[in-house]
Amino acid sequence: MKKRTDNNYNIIRQPLLKNKTLWAMLTPSIIYFIVFAYIPMCGIWLAFTKFDFRLGFFKSPFVGLSNFTYLFKSGIFARLLKNTILYNLAFLLAGNVMQIICSVFLSELKNRRFVKLSQSLIFLPYFISYVLIGLFSYALFNVDNGVINTILRSIGLEEYNFYLKPEAWPFIIIAVQVWKGLGYGSVVYLSVISGIDQEIYESARIDGATKWQQITKITLPMIKPTFVLLVMFNLGSILKGQFQLFYQLIGNNGLLYNATDIIDTYVYRALTVNFDIGMGSAAGVFQSVFGCILVLTVNAIVKHYNEELALF
């Protein structure tokens, strides 16, 4: 028995010693995920309690699925679910399409100095705080002295009060999110394009392929695995909206909630206005479970058609 235990110990010990440098490099990431991902999972318990600050985490009364029942039966949850999914799908599809177009365009340019300058300018919005974006948005769209309404009045047209028009904001929100993430995503796709063997393009040119044919028959198929991978990664958070984006652009403007309210902003109000931690936690658990099921389902579908593109 002791010999078997020693053998098991050596089976574990030898790979650790052999790859100790790699494990040392992984240690900060492992610690990060344990502290910030796995330990906080204990907070799932809050979703099944009516949390009371006086009683604390363990002594708050257990209410079972009451928080989930109330959440699903609330008249606004269907709207929140629809808004969250549609916005994230729009971010996912429009964002990736624009990033692919931008990266293909940059890869075809021959002036390297111009390409580097363009990359820097496109990447810049990624580092801009959502607070500043909210201020820029207000400076553009407010009815009193916003840039757009000032121009409209100067040319004799009627002013347009964006903050009273819910139908305008889906386009604004999607455009802002695509603009902000364009640089980062383009760099990812551009790095993939840069890794494509240039001899493939040379052979295509010798065979008489046009530039459009090279893009559609070589470049796009080559970046397809990266596109599928990024889409599947993002599907896991399809119910987790960009809270900062929505809150900084819309704030607490109840007139725009029908078109702009998502699960995250609703949870924020539940926690800050009603202090309903149980229902807020229930919404978070629902987001995570739904995202996990969606990723597993999509991965199974992708694996069925092309096993090489699947995550696992």
Side-chain angles (χ1 to χ4, degrees):
M1 184 69 179
K2 184 178 179 181
K3 186 176 181 181
R4 184 181 295 179
T5 304
D6 291 340
N7 289 336
N8 291 338
Y9 175 74
N10 289 329
I11 290 172
I12 298 173
R13 182 171 177 268
Q14 288 175 359
L16 289 176
L17 292 175
K18 184 179 179 181
N19 303 298
K20 59 184 178 181
T21 304
L22 296 176
W23 281 106
M25 294 172 64
L26 277 173
T27 300
S29 299
I30 293 171
I31 295 173
Y32 172 86
F33 282 108
I34 290 174
V35 173
F36 295 103
Y38 289 100
I39 293 178
M41 286 179 69
C42 297
I44 291 175
W45 171 254
L46 294 174
F48 304 96
T49 65
K50 185 172 178 59
F51 185 76
D52 190 322
F53 287 95
R54 293 172 298 179
L55 298 176
F57 185 84
F58 295 103
K59 294 184 179 180
S60 294
F62 179 77
V63 295
L65 298 176
S66 296
N67 290 323
F68 293 92
T69 304
Y70 180 80
L71 186 67
F72 295 143
K73 286 186 177 180
S74 63
I76 64 172
F77 188 76
R79 186 191 74 200
L80 296 173
L81 190 63
K82 181 192 74 173
N83 286 348
T84 306
I85 292 176
L86 290 180
Y87 273 117
N88 280 322
L89 285 176
F91 295 158
L92 187 61
L93 297 177
N96 277 279
V97 168
M98 291 303 299
Q99 290 160 14
I100 290 172
I101 292 172
C102 183
S103 61
V104 170
F105 176 76
L106 290 175
S107 68
E108 294 297 327
L109 296 177
K110 302 303 179 185
N111 190 326
R112 294 294 95 188
R113 184 174 297 178
F114 178 76
V115 170
K116 290 181 179 179
L117 177 62
S118 300
Q119 281 183 284
S120 301
L121 293 176
I122 296 171
F123 211 121
L124 185 61
Y126 182 78
F127 298 102
I128 298 177
S129 166
Y130 279 107
V131 176
L132 289 177
I133 291 176
L135 293 175
F136 294 155
S137 171
Y138 185 76
L140 279 173
F141 301 124
N142 81 84
V143 70
D144 295 323
N145 52 12
V147 173
I148 293 178
N149 279 299
T150 300
I151 294 174
L152 290 176
R153 285 192 292 266
S154 67
I155 59 177
L157 297 178
E158 186 179 354
E159 61 187 25
Y160 187 89
N161 194 338
F162 287 90
Y163 290 96
L164 297 179
K165 307 289 186 181
E167 62 273 10
W169 285 95
F171 301 100
I172 296 171
I173 291 171
I174 293 169
V176 169
Q177 181 63 17
V178 171
W179 166 75
K180 195 174 191 301
L182 181 63
Y184 182 85
S186 298
V187 168
V188 173
Y189 284 113
L190 191 60
S191 65
V192 177
I193 294 173
S194 301
I196 299 174
D197 190 350
Q198 293 302 308
E199 291 184 1
I200 301 175
Y201 291 103
E202 186 64 30
S203 300
R205 283 192 290 269
I206 292 173
D207 290 338
T210 63
K211 184 64 68 175
W212 176 251
Q213 289 173 327
Q214 292 174 41
I215 292 172
T216 55
K217 303 298 183 182
I218 300 174
T219 305
L220 294 183
M222 287 291 189
I223 64 178
K224 179 182 175 181
T226 303
F227 171 77
V228 174
L229 185 67
L230 292 176
V231 167
M232 285 198 292
F233 274 138
N234 287 316
L235 281 177
S237 57
I238 197 168
L239 285 187
K240 295 182 182 293
Q242 293 285 348
F243 169 76
Q244 291 189 66
L245 170 67
F246 285 86
Y247 186 74
Q248 296 300 334
L249 289 182
I250 307 301
N252 292 318
N253 188 345
L255 296 173
L256 305 179
Y257 282 167
N258 281 337
T260 62
D261 206 16
I262 59 173
I263 294 175
D264 294 77
T265 53
Y266 174 74
V267 170
Y268 172 77
R269 291 198 303 275
L271 293 175
T272 56
V273 178
N274 302 323
F275 296 102
D276 195 340
I277 293 178
M279 192 163 61
S281 301
V285 170
F286 173 72
Q287 288 175 305
S288 300
V289 171
F290 183 90
C292 179
I293 293 172
L294 186 61
V295 168
L296 293 174
T297 303
V298 173
N299 183 75
I301 295 171
V302 172
K303 190 174 183 179
H304 176 74
Y305 289 100
N306 191 335
E307 191 170 350
E308 294 182 357
L309 297 179
L311 287 173
F312 46 84

